[in-house]
Amino acid sequence: MPLPDHLPPFGFDAAPPAPDRPFVAIGDVHGRADLLAPVLDRAAAHALPVVLVGDYIDHGPDSAGVLRLLHDHAGRIDLTCLRGNHEDLLLRFLRRPRKMGRTWLRYGGRTTLASYGITDLPADITLADLSRARYALRAAMGATVSWMQSMPYWWQSGNVAVLHAGADPAMPLADQLPKAMAWGHPDFGVVPRRDGVWCVHGHRIVPRLAIRDGVMSIDTGAWKTGKLCAVLIGEGGVRPF
């Protein structure tokens, strides 16, 4: 599938992006199953691999629906779901609800609980409330929990890598700490990598696809803008999908 070559170098001394085969990268979904479904259907119709940068849950109205949708498509297309910081928070909440619960709720966790029918949390939540919510969520999610635990932090094809938030540009991707991948690194997007690897990421909201210094930013804030960024990346070019 030919792709237009319209990537400016921006000082990044590397070859154009050249994955082993063209693939679709999808930005942060955050509970917008309505926006994700047509993108996955288009990818299936074109038999294209799909890589999602993480943050499937929280903020938006249908986190449970997003996770079900991804499960449904896993058998239909070549699908890679990376772990974002919101998946990280949910899994921490399930392990230690009393310690992590209030933090997760501040990051939008109430909407995820509500999407699973857990809507009885008071505004002034107690530790006992958090424990009850944890057990209810764990029961409602079932096998989805083990699937989320198995999500990788990054994926690479050719000279293109996909991750959620960032990476230390001075270190090989294989040596990165999970915290940098899921939560970001202060030098990411500031200091260009020197290994020629393009990094596609989400986490930080941008108005539209942004490409600079070997970094492609694809989180367009779908949960509040109604715009889910999806791009087709192939040898020599990138275009909206």
Side-chain angles (χ1 to χ4, degrees):
M1 181 179 299
L3 298 177
D5 182 3
H6 61 266
L7 293 178
F10 291 113
F12 181 55
D13 186 17
D20 296 332
R21 59 178 293 204
F23 72 95
V24 176
I26 301 177
D28 302 35
V29 181
H30 280 305
R32 292 301 302 265
D34 57 326
L35 302 178
L36 177 61
V39 179
L40 293 178
D41 287 342
R42 287 199 302 275
H46 291 88
L48 287 165
V50 174
V51 183
L52 293 101
V53 301
D55 280 10
Y56 315 110
I57 60 170
D58 300 343
H59 294 310
D62 195 8
S63 295
V66 169
L67 296 177
R68 284 194 297 268
L69 192 61
L70 293 172
H71 268 228
D72 290 345
H73 279 77
R76 297 176 52 200
I77 60 177
D78 181 352
L79 182 69
T80 300
C81 297
L82 302 179
R83 186 191 294 201
N85 62 304
H86 284 260
E87 288 74 49
D88 210 29
L89 282 172
L90 183 150
L91 292 172
R92 291 188 195 181
F93 167 70
L94 292 177
R95 289 194 303 270
R96 305 184 71 178
R98 291 170 175 257
K99 180 176 181 179
M100 296 303 303
R102 290 190 175 94
T103 299
W104 181 46
L105 295 184
R106 286 198 301 271
Y107 276 82
R110 281 182 183 270
T111 59
T112 297
L113 291 170
S115 72
Y116 281 99
I118 304 166
T119 58
D120 57 349
L121 289 178
D124 188 14
I125 197 166
T126 67
L127 295 180
D129 294 326
L130 291 171
S131 293
R132 284 193 294 270
R134 180 266 180 205
Y135 285 106
L137 180 62
R138 182 66 182 83
M141 292 185 71
T144 304
V145 174
S146 57
W147 171 63
M148 290 179 69
Q149 290 170 334
S150 71
M151 289 176 176
Y153 284 98
W154 68 293
W155 174 93
Q156 185 170 351
S157 177
N159 69 347
V160 181
V162 186
L163 41 85
H164 178 64
D168 183 346
M171 293 178 60
L173 291 172
D175 296 337
Q176 299 285 327
L177 295 174
K179 182 178 180 181
M181 295 285 197
W183 292 87
H185 187 278
D187 289 340
F188 181 73
V190 177
V191 178
R193 296 191 66 83
R194 304 186 69 167
D195 58 6
V197 176
W198 292 82
C199 288
V200 183
H201 77 105
H203 190 64
R204 298 197 300 259
I205 295 177
V206 291
R208 64 190 64 82
L209 167 67
I211 304 173
R212 183 177 178 84
D213 291 337
V215 172
M216 304 184 203
S217 305
I218 62 170
D219 176 12
T220 48
W223 66 276
K224 60 182 178 180
T225 66
K227 299 176 182 178
L228 177 62
C229 185
V231 292
L232 180 59
I233 302 172
E235 292 186 7
V238 177
R239 71 183 184 200
F241 179 74

